[in-house]
Amino acid sequence: MGNANGESSNNNNNARLAIMELANMISVPMSLNAIIKLKVADAIWQNGSNAPLSPVEILAKIRGPQGGGDAENLQRILRMLTSYNVFKEHVVDDGSQRRYSLTEVGKTLVTNENGLSHGSYVLQHHQDALMRAWTMVHEAVNDSSIEPFVKANGEPAYNYYGKNPEMSILMLNAMSGVSVPFMKAILEGYDGFQGVKTLVDVGGSGGDCLKMILEKNTNIELGINFDLPEVVEKAPQIPSIKHVGGDMFDYIPKGDAIYMKWVLTTWTDDECKEIMKSCYNALPEKGKFIACEPVLPHHTDDSKRTRALLEGDIFVMTIYRAKGKHRTEEEYRQLGRAAGFNDCKGFYIDHFFTILEFHKSS
């Protein structure tokens, strides 16, 4: 009996600790924001040395000759993020001095030669306008006809971004920082572009991803970068790529294959059916529609991948579309069938995205 009571007490203690951790979870992204704004990862990385540095040494690198800064408070942030495997802590002697290097997670915050990292992705999630929306997640349950972002800021997120150039630039950098590693994974591990002569990229922005695909797959004779007119008019001229402006709900240019990345997530089921029907109509017999999306697993677990996908789903619900969502492969298969596609195959290529192939045949 004593053991049972002891076990019950231990479970209760663990439960209370768990809820306290969850209640204080905001410390994690806000501390990440601080680390990124302070450029701590670049200071430690130093072009690949990644030598363990003390908070005082880190401050000296990021603040330069002007000096200053509170090393103790920086250490408090570094210690907490060490517990989430962003940094590795090196304790010297009796623990009176601690030094920090980057883990593999921390290295994702290092700025590359193109000025990109996952740092912009972190910062983009926690801007003031988005933070106002996060206090209203419950409203997506009370009334799903309007997003928490709209209730908090008076207009949809994309409209708001359009009026705030700094937010738009940050979002573009965030998407690029995530997309470039994913595109490299696609080009190394996916052969679905073989045999394609004309490839249409729906929502291709400036054509960067399409350019990467064409460079790797020389069989593609023409790439069509399809996006809103105001987007493609700013796109640079790229050999073998034609920029076309339009609305995917009205039509999509014809091609042997149609490709889109991270598009369907922010649309409702009915809107996805319309988009996929436009794709179906633009394809020849035996053509294929290639969608790269965050795809939810059927079973819920506590793996990092599942959590990242489910957390991203709540982000979509709160910021972009209350009824836009991450979906399972089966849910995408059903949407494809409703649009006329008779087959769907999923390819797990990347840590976050899944490639879905929809085939058109009689």
Side-chain angles (χ1 to χ4, degrees), residues 198 200 224 251-258 281-284:
T198 301
V200 181
I224 298 176
Y251 82 102
I252 288 174
K254 295 185 181 299
D256 305 327
I258 295 170
N281 292 336
L283 288 168

Side-chain angles (χ1 to χ4, degrees), residues 204-211 223-227 229-244:
S205 190
D208 292 335
C209 289
L210 191 54
K211 179 173 180 281
I224 298 176
N225 179 46
F226 182 66
D227 213 314
E230 60 267 29
V231 174
V232 296
E233 71 180 11
K234 300 174 185 176
Q237 292 301 309
I238 304 172
S240 301
I241 291 179
K242 178 182 179 182
H243 300 294
V244 177

Side-chain angles (χ1 to χ4, degrees), residues 113-135:
E113 63 276 9
N114 298 314
L116 298 175
S117 77
H118 275 63
S120 295
Y121 183 75
V122 176
L123 293 177
Q124 192 266 335
H125 277 60
H126 307 111
Q127 299 170 93
D128 290 347
L130 281 72
M131 294 302 293
R132 288 192 289 270
W134 278 118
T135 65

Side-chain angles (χ1 to χ4, degrees), residues 165-229:
E166 287 185 6
M167 291 183 72
S168 293
I169 291 169
L170 182 58
M171 183 176 70
L172 288 173
N173 287 339
M175 296 303 100
S176 296
V178 173
S179 295
V180 170
F182 169 66
M183 286 306 302
K184 289 180 179 177
I186 280 192
L187 296 174
E188 290 172 6
Y190 177 66
D191 62 5
F193 297 114
Q194 293 179 7
V196 174
K197 298 296 183 185
T198 301
L199 176 66
V200 181
D201 185 357
V202 177
S205 190
D208 292 335
C209 289
L210 191 54
K211 179 173 180 281
M212 292 174 70
I213 294 171
L214 265 63
E215 287 174 348
K216 178 73 173 182
N217 298 271
T218 55
N219 53 279
I220 301 175
E221 298 172 359
L222 174 65
I224 298 176
N225 179 46
F226 182 66
D227 213 314
L228 294 170

Side-chain angles (χ1 to χ4, degrees), residues 37-103:
K37 289 178 178 179
L38 291 168
K39 297 180 170 48
V40 170
D42 288 340
I44 296 175
W45 185 242
Q46 290 295 304
N47 297 316
S49 72
N50 199 26
L53 299 178
S54 70
V56 170
E57 292 168 330
I58 293 170
L59 278 176
K61 288 186 179 296
I62 61 181
R63 295 182 66 85
Q66 72 195 55
D70 193 310
E72 181 185 23
N73 282 352
L74 176 58
Q75 177 166 289
R76 293 163 72 182
I77 294 171
L78 292 167
R79 283 198 72 184
M80 193 276 291
L81 291 176
T82 294
S83 76
Y84 283 91
N85 197 37
V86 178
F87 299 99
K88 182 178 180 181
E89 189 176 68
H90 308 260
V91 180
V92 180
D93 299 328
D94 59 354
S96 59
Q97 186 177 41
R98 301 170 191 269
R99 294 175 179 270
Y100 298 88
S101 59
L102 300 175
T103 62

